[in-house]
Amino acid sequence: MILSGKHPCTLEEAAQFAAIQAQCQFGNHELDRHKGAHLQLMDFVPSEYRNNRDLTKRIISEHAKLQGLSDLNAKFRYVQLSRSLKTYGITFFLVKEKLDKKTELADVLLGVTKQSIVRLDAVTKDVIKTWPLTHLSRWAAASNSFTLDFGDYADNYFTVQTAEGNQISQLIAGYIDIILKKKKEAEKVFHEEDEVLTTSEEYVKPVKAVNAAILSNGHKQATEIRVGTLMTANNSRAFPKSVPTSLTNEPNFNNSEFNEPLQSLLDTISMDLAVLNNAARDLDNDIQLPPFANDTISQEWKQTTIETNVDSVASHLTSHLAYCASVINLFKSDFEGVEPDALIQSVNLITCNCLQMANGIKLLAALTNSLEEKESFKRAAKDVFESAGGYVKATQDVLSQGGSKEVVLNSSGNVTVTSSDLLALIGRSDVPDDTQNELKELAKSVSRAVADVINAARKSAEEISDPHDQLQVASNAKLVADACNQLVASTTMVAPVVSSHVCLDQLVSAADFVKSAALQVCDSCSTAANNELVLESLHESIERVQESIHRLLEKAKNCDQVCYEVGPMENGV
C-alpha cells in the first residue's frame, strides 16, 4: 500500500518506511556492506520519491538507528507507522482542480474516509481541506467531473475533473450509510422508585432517498440526496450490541498459486463468511427488555420503535439485494477481469449490512408479545444470512477452484427468496408479485432476442475465412450470452425491491452490459463478414435486444417508489 501510493506519505515518512523494510530484508546496518548500492529505490519507496538524490542517505541513516530490532518488531513498527499516517484509512483519487485566478488545472488528491472528505496537495501530501461527511448535503458524478455540495457549510460547490466519479460516489454513499446506522440508541427511563436514571434516545428513521446519479455532459447541478430523519423518544432502555467473536469455522485459503490481490480477496471472504455465520447464531441471544407500562408514553415509544425498526430492516433488505446484485455485475465473463478491491467492498457491504439488520430483527423480536412471531422473525433472518453465506461461499469457491459463473447465478435465487420472505413477514412487499413476474418475463424476452443475435453471429462466422476473426466472433457471442444470464439473475434478484434507485441502478448496469456485449458482436461480424443478408439479420436481432431491454427498464422505472430505501449506496447526511 505504501509503495503503490495508495497510502501517500511525506518524503521523511518514506525514508522511515524504507529503513524498516531494509531492517527486515538485510538485518542490522553494517557500515562496510550497506553503503547504498544494496538499495534499489523502486523496491523501497513510492514512485514520486525515486529520483530524489538525497533519499538513499536518509534511508541509510534511519536504518542505522534500528540496530538490534528483530524482524517481527520491525514489521510491527512498520504497521504502527502506517497507522500513524495522516492519510491512513483514506481512499485516494487523483483529480484535477481549477485553482483560483488561474486557467490551468492542477493535480489534487481527493480522499474519502469513513468520517470525512479531504483535499490534499498532490506533491507534498499535506492536507489542504477537510470536510466532515456530516456536512455533505448532496453530490453528483458526471462522465468527466464530480461535484460536492456542502450546503450551508460552504459558499460554493466543490467540483473536480475526474473519470472516477462513479467510484467516488459509491464510496461516499457507503460511508454515509454507516454513519447513519451507527447513531446509537440512548434512553430516558424514569423509575417509580427512588432511583431515577435519565438519558436520551435517538433513532434514525429511514426515509426515501435519491441516489446520486451519473449525469451526462452538460448537467451542472448535483442530484439531491434525501436522508434519514432524526426522532427523539423517551422512556427507553439502551441495550448492548452483540458482536460475533469466533472466526475459526471457515477455511483459510493460503495458496502460493494465487496472486496477492486474489489471496487477499479469498482471505477477506473467509472472514466475512465467519461473521455471517456468527450473526445468524447471535440471533438466538435475545434482547431483554424491561416490562412495559400501560401509560401513553411507554406505548408510544414501543410503537415508534417497532415502526422505526421495520423501516430499518426493510431498508437493509433493499440494500442487501442491491449489494448481492453488484457482485454479479462485477464479473464480465466467468470471473475473469474482476477487480478484487471492488469485490471485497461488495462482500464487506453484504456482511456489514446483515449485522446491522440483525440488530433491528432482534429488537423487533423482543418487542413482540407473540412467541410464534418472535421465532418467525429470527428464523426468517437466519434464512437471509444463510443464503447470503451460501452466495458468498459460491463466489469464493469459483474464485479459488475455477468454474463457471453459473454457480453463483444459481445460488442467487436463494438470496431473493429469503429476502422476499422477510419483507413479506414485516409487511413491506411493496412490489406486487404480478409486477415481479412481469419483470422476469421481460428479462426472458431479452434472452430470446439475445439467442437470435447468437444465431446470426454463428451464421456470420461461417462466412469468415480468417480463423482469428472467427474466434473473435465466437468469443463475443459467448460474452453476450453470459451478459444475458447475468441480466436475468439480476432482474430476479432486485425485482422485489426494484422501486429502490439503488436496486434499479444494478439492473441498469446489467442491461448496459448486455447492450455493450451485443454491439461487440455486431462490430466483430461487420469487420470480418461480407454477407449483407446475414449482417442485416444480425442488426435486426440487436435492435430487438435493445427494444426488449428498453421495455424491461421502463417497466422497472415505473414501479411505485417506496419510502424506506436508504442504504450505503445512496444517501446523504
Side-chain angles (χ1 to χ4, degrees):
M1 292 294 187
I2 303 298
L3 298 184
S4 67
K6 288 188 177 181
H7 288 317
C9 58
T10 65
L11 180 66
E12 183 60 36
E13 289 167 340
Q16 294 179 40
F17 279 118
I20 298 173
Q21 183 179 338
Q23 180 72 14
C24 292
Q25 290 187 220
F26 308 118
N28 291 330
H29 174 71
E30 298 180 16
L31 186 61
D32 295 337
R33 293 178 53 214
H34 301 151
K35 297 182 178 181
H38 65 299
L39 294 175
Q40 299 294 325
L41 289 185
M42 65 178 297
D43 297 326
F44 285 82
V45 297
S47 58
E48 62 264 38
Y49 300 132
R50 290 169 188 168
N51 294 326
N52 189 298
R53 297 180 179 179
D54 297 326
L55 186 55
T56 299
K57 293 181 180 178
R58 288 196 187 190
I59 296 173
I60 292 175
S61 175
E62 291 294 331
H63 185 195
K65 298 176 184 178
L66 303 177
Q67 198 78 10
L69 189 67
S70 69
D71 180 70
L72 183 60
N73 286 334
K75 291 177 180 177
F76 181 71
R77 182 173 294 189
Y78 195 99
V79 173
Q80 284 184 311
L81 183 58
S82 299
R83 290 179 177 272
S84 70
L85 292 177
K86 293 181 292 185
T87 56
Y88 183 79
I90 304 178
T91 301
F92 285 99
F93 302 88
L94 182 62
V95 302
K96 291 186 178 295
E97 178 187 3
K98 184 177 180 180
L99 301 179
D100 293 340
K101 299 180 182 180
K102 292 185 179 181
T103 58
E104 69 270 20
L105 297 173
D107 287 341
V108 173
L109 284 173
L110 184 68
V112 181
T113 78
K114 62 183 180 181
Q115 296 175 334
S116 61
I117 298 171
V118 293
R119 176 169 162 258
L120 285 80
D121 187 292
V123 178
T124 65
K125 308 302 184 295
D126 291 333
V127 176
I128 302 172
K129 180 74 174 178
T130 300
W131 298 277
L133 283 177
T134 50
H135 290 181
L136 182 60
S137 173
R138 51 187 178 173
W139 69 93
S143 57
N144 292 307
S145 65
F146 186 75
T147 300
L148 295 161
D149 178 14
F150 294 98
D152 295 337
Y153 295 98
D155 295 332
N156 300 301
Y157 291 162
F158 177 66
T159 302
V160 295
Q161 286 194 7
T162 176
E164 298 180 291
N166 191 32
Q167 293 93 314
I168 300 173
S169 175
Q170 291 188 7
L171 190 60
I172 290 174
Y175 282 136
I176 285 180
D177 183 73
I178 292 172
I179 291 175
L180 287 174
K181 302 304 183 294
K182 281 188 175 180
K183 288 188 179 293
K184 295 181 178 179
E185 297 179 346
E187 61 187 70
K188 182 176 285 186
V189 179
F190 295 93
H191 294 277
E192 296 180 357
E193 300 179 359
D194 295 338
E195 181 181 3
V196 178
L197 301 177
T198 303
T199 60
S200 63
E201 176 162 352
E202 293 179 340
Y203 304 101
V204 175
K205 182 172 183 177
V207 296
K208 183 176 180 180
V210 181
N211 191 29
I214 303 174
L215 305 179
S216 60
N217 289 334
H219 285 81
K220 296 182 179 180
Q221 65 181 23
T223 301
E224 182 174 355
I225 308 230
R226 284 176 287 171
V227 300
T229 57
L230 193 66
M231 302 191 307
T232 301
N234 296 331
N235 289 355
S236 61
R237 181 176 295 276
F239 306 103
K241 182 186 298 183
S242 178
V243 179
T245 56
S246 175
L247 299 176
T248 60
N249 296 329
E250 295 300 325
N252 180 25
F253 291 91
N254 234 349
N255 193 324
S256 59
E257 296 179 2
F258 299 146
N259 56 41
E260 183 177 347
L262 179 55
Q263 181 64 62
S264 176
L265 173 57
L266 294 174
D267 291 343
T268 299
I269 292 177
S270 292
M271 295 285 286
D272 282 304
L273 282 170
V275 173
L276 284 170
N277 289 336
N278 279 288
R281 288 193 292 269
D282 185 61
L283 288 169
D284 291 325
N285 296 325
D286 295 338
I287 292 176
Q288 300 300 320
L289 294 176
F292 284 100
N294 290 323
D295 59 279
T296 303
I297 293 179
S298 296
Q299 293 304 312
E300 286 181 352
W301 176 87
K302 181 178 179 180
Q303 187 59 36
T304 299
T305 305
I306 290 174
E307 292 174 358
T308 299
N309 280 277
V310 166
D311 288 343
S312 176
V313 171
S315 169
H316 285 301
L317 284 167
T318 300
S319 298
H320 178 65
L321 291 172
Y323 300 147
C324 289
S326 73
V327 170
I328 297 175
N329 288 338
L330 284 173
F331 303 100
K332 299 308 179 186
S333 180
D334 288 340
F335 292 93
E336 293 176 3
V338 63
E339 296 181 12
D341 288 345
L343 185 55
I344 285 174
Q345 183 185 27
S346 291
V347 173
N348 285 161
L349 286 171
I350 290 171
T351 303
C352 293
N353 194 60
C354 284
L355 289 176
Q356 295 292 335
M357 192 193 312
N359 295 330
I361 289 293
K362 291 176 69 174
L363 193 49
L364 284 176
L367 289 168
T368 183
N369 296 323
S370 167
L371 180 60
E372 182 180 354
E373 194 171 273
K374 182 195 298 283
E375 292 304 316
S376 295
F377 279 136
K378 294 194 292 185
R379 181 64 263 169
K382 284 182 180 180
D383 289 343
V384 170
F385 295 169
E386 288 170 2
S387 65
Y391 183 63
V392 172
K393 184 66 167 62
T395 303
Q396 184 187 54
D397 289 345
V398 172
L399 288 170
S400 61
Q401 303 169 16
S404 171
K405 184 168 60 176
E406 293 298 320
V407 176
V408 176
L409 299 185
N410 291 338
S411 69
S412 67
N414 288 334
V415 175
T416 305
V417 170
T418 55
S419 298
S420 297
D421 289 346
L422 184 51
L423 282 170
L425 185 62
I426 62 175
R428 285 306 179 84
S429 299
D430 289 78
V431 179
D433 290 343
D434 289 345
T435 302
Q436 294 183 44
N437 291 333
E438 189 174 348
L439 288 169
K440 295 172 188 176
E441 285 301 318
L442 289 170
K444 291 179 182 178
S445 71
V446 176
S447 296
R448 290 189 287 270
V450 166
D452 291 340
V453 170
I454 294 172
N455 288 331
R458 184 180 296 112
K459 293 177 181 178
S460 177
E462 292 173 356
E463 303 290 330
I464 300 173
S465 58
D466 189 322
H468 174 76
D469 291 340
Q470 280 187 331
L471 183 62
Q472 186 62 52
V473 171
S475 176
N476 288 336
K478 182 180 184 303
L479 182 66
V480 74
D482 287 344
C484 185
N485 290 336
Q486 176 176 306
L487 175 62
V488 172
S490 293
T491 302
T492 302
M493 181 168 281
V494 303
V497 286
V498 73
S499 49
S500 163
H501 285 289
V502 68
C503 289
L504 180 60
D505 284 348
Q506 294 302 323
L507 183 59
V508 171
S509 177
D512 287 344
F513 180 28
V514 174
K515 289 191 286 188
S516 174
L519 291 176
Q520 287 186 49
V521 173
C522 183
D523 290 342
S524 59
C525 291
S526 299
T527 302
N530 297 316
N531 190 317
E532 293 296 330
L533 290 177
V534 172
L535 291 177
E536 183 179 352
S537 175
L538 176 62
H539 292 157
E540 291 174 353
S541 298
I542 290 176
E543 287 180 3
R544 287 195 293 274
V545 169
Q546 294 172 336
E547 290 169 359
S548 57
I549 286 176
H550 175 75
R551 289 194 296 271
L552 170 63
L553 295 183
E554 283 301 304
K555 180 64 181 179
K557 291 174 182 177
N558 289 333
C559 288
D560 292 337
Q561 297 298 303
V562 291
C563 64
Y564 57 80
E565 50 177 86
V566 175
M569 287 184 174
E570 49 156 358
N571 42 23
V573 176

